[in-house]
Amino acid sequence: ELGLRWLREHIGEHGGDPARIYLSGTSAGASLAAAVTLRQWVAEPGLPEDLVKGLVLFSGRYDRTNEDRENDRAAATRYVQNLTSEIERTPPHTIVVNTDDESAFPDVPENAGRITAAIQARGGSVERLVQPQADHFSSSRSLAEGNGAVFEAIRKMMQLS
């Protein structure tokens, strides 16, 4: 959240628009982006509720109830073991992506389905996509290539021509 405050205050200095902030992450970064966006601001309660305009989650894990809590930073004050049951708000739109080969983390497709259903249950706009011919480590490939269904969905969400 502290990073979001800095981003909001300084994005204009770098050619960005503070009214058009989108978050994305891959793997653990997707879990963190989801936790920051889908939960209430705690460290920075003055941030506007609608600061994040969209969220793109690539190959994340959002339900860690079967994990060893000792390895999962359970002592962190904002930690929730199962984000799918702890969603407090949703951005205007979320895109959830997993790949057609998640053999490195076989629970990712199930996690993608669960976070998608949880966002829908909260009334949020969400779409789930599968990145073809990719594995966990290349899930955001379509961004680098600038084509494909995932790229087009992101471009549409961000209203880019």
Side-chain angles (χ1 to χ4, degrees):
E1 296 166 20
L2 297 172
L4 287 176
R5 176 168 300 286
W6 186 94
L7 179 63
R8 180 175 177 234
E9 292 173 357
H10 297 277
I11 194 170
E13 299 165 18
H14 302 278
D17 181 351
R20 294 179 45 86
I21 294 175
Y22 296 83
L23 291 185
S24 181
T26 301
S27 193
S31 302
L32 292 170
V36 166
T37 304
L38 302 175
R39 307 267 297 147
Q40 294 299 324
W41 311 128
V42 176
E44 293 289 333
L47 290 176
E49 287 288 317
D50 65 347
L51 177 67
V52 177
K53 304 302 184 212
L55 183 60
V56 183
L57 306 173
F58 291 98
S59 295
R61 298 169 72 214
Y62 316 100
D63 180 358
R64 301 175 76 88
T65 53
N66 295 325
E67 301 281 326
D68 178 358
R69 290 184 64 94
E70 300 241 345
N71 293 329
D72 217 17
R73 305 293 246 147
T77 56
R78 293 217 40 194
Y79 176 80
V80 294
Q81 214 169 12
N82 183 356
L83 181 59
T84 65
S85 64
E86 300 286 338
I87 294 173
E88 297 171 325
R89 65 162 173 240
T90 62
H93 191 65
T94 300
I95 298 171
V96 179
V97 181
N98 63 276
T99 70
D100 61 0
D101 176 9
E102 292 287 356
S103 55
F105 296 97
D107 61 338
V108 164
E110 179 184 346
N111 270 257
R114 292 193 68 209
I115 197 75
T116 299
I119 292 169
Q120 287 173 333
R122 295 270 310 160
S125 172
V126 60
E127 62 187 298
R128 181 173 173 202
L129 299 168
V130 175
Q131 177 65 57
Q133 300 175 338
D135 63 16
H136 185 80
F137 305 100
S138 61
S139 60
S140 60
R141 185 187 77 221
S142 66
L143 293 180
E145 294 174 353
N147 61 39
V150 174
F151 178 80
E152 291 303 324
I154 293 168
R155 189 160 68 164
K156 179 180 176 186
M157 175 182 69
M158 295 180 71
Q159 301 173 359
L160 302 173
S161 55

